[in-house]
Amino acid sequence: MFSGSRRGPGLAIFLLATQIFQVGLHNIPPVTLATIAINTIIFLRISILNIRYPSLGNVCISVVNTWYKGDWKRIALAAFFHADEWHLYYNMASMLFKGMSLEKRLGSAYFVYLLAVFTILTNGVLLGLNYAADEFLGYHEYLSHCAVGFSGVLFALKVVTTYYLPPGIQYIMGIIPIHSRLACWAELFLIQILVPNASFTGHLAGILVGLIYVKGPLKPIMDIFIPGANSPSYTYRAQATGYRNQYHPRQQPPTGNYGNTRNLNQGEDDLAEAIQRSQADSYAQQRAHNNPNDEEIRRRRLARYT
């Protein structure tokens, strides 16, 4: 069954377009922009090369349709279809800022690779979670639960994004402070409370895939085929944010490219910059103390006899 009628853009589409132009097309990396464009074109059902767009019922992913009936193409297609324009708006607005942060850090080639892998794995894990919910918890409705949308992939990207940033405090909905490493879990439950029809297992699948990437074997396996960016090593300290620095006092302190994250979280860019500046100042002071110039040597000698 195909649904070929073209949709007209509504308020949410105009809000998304406004947000994109406020950021500036020239500031949005190509894969991020293309992903937003593809999702929007599919939702609006804009005719390109006489493509016939299937209905949501023919692309949504479920254990029954995908596993039992063997319609495996849904694993790839379901992420690019959305139930309504607000569903599309929230997902693509999130994609805009997460994509800007990660694509600039990882590079466009690796980022499109990451999106492809996350799309397949997130929907694969979703099937496994829904099957487990039926098999072990007796929630038989999960077998036929059919999901669409990019939000599972976005949850995986959020895990990766927060991993690349120094640990700190984020504000959920602008008002609820929470440690950045726990933000994805807070959003998982908050979204389910605010939007009960949202796919809980789809979002949980995204978090699990993100964790397998940053903490498990997924990244090393992916890097065999296309090498990715090295990850910084961070540690949390009470009342401060820092990372493990393993450099000799006479070596240049490490400086990392934390990516363009100002639009993702306003304070995180300033925090990263402050960390770098603090380390550079500390290094400069230590170097001046260990390697005094002639004037400093004379000053120390005078101070010794006064």
Side-chain angles (χ1 to χ4, degrees), residues 1 9 16 23-24 41 53 57 74 76 83 99 112 134 159 192 202 214-215 243 250 254 269 273 294 302:
M1 178 179 178
L16 178 61
V23 171
I41 288 171
Y53 296 102
R74 294 172 184 255
V112 73
D134 167 68
V159 173
Q192 203 61 35
V214 300
K215 297 294 186 181
Y243 65 85
R250 291 184 180 275
D269 225 18
E273 184 179 348
D294 294 340
L302 288 174

Side-chain angles (χ1 to χ4, degrees), residues 8-21 40 85-86 89:
L11 175 60
I13 302 297
F14 284 115
L15 286 176
L16 178 61
T18 299
Q19 203 159 11
I20 289 172
F21 284 108
T40 304
E85 65 171 343
W86 289 104
Y89 167 74

Side-chain angles (χ1 to χ4, degrees), residues 224-235:
I224 293 174
F225 303 98
I226 300 179
N230 292 326
S231 304
S233 178
Y234 294 112
T235 184

Side-chain angles (χ1 to χ4, degrees), residues 3 30 55 115 134 154 170 224-225 256-257 266 272 301:
S3 178
S55 65
L115 289 179
D134 167 68
L154 291 170
Q170 290 187 4
I224 293 174
F225 303 98
N257 176 16
Q266 184 68 33
R301 287 175 176 172

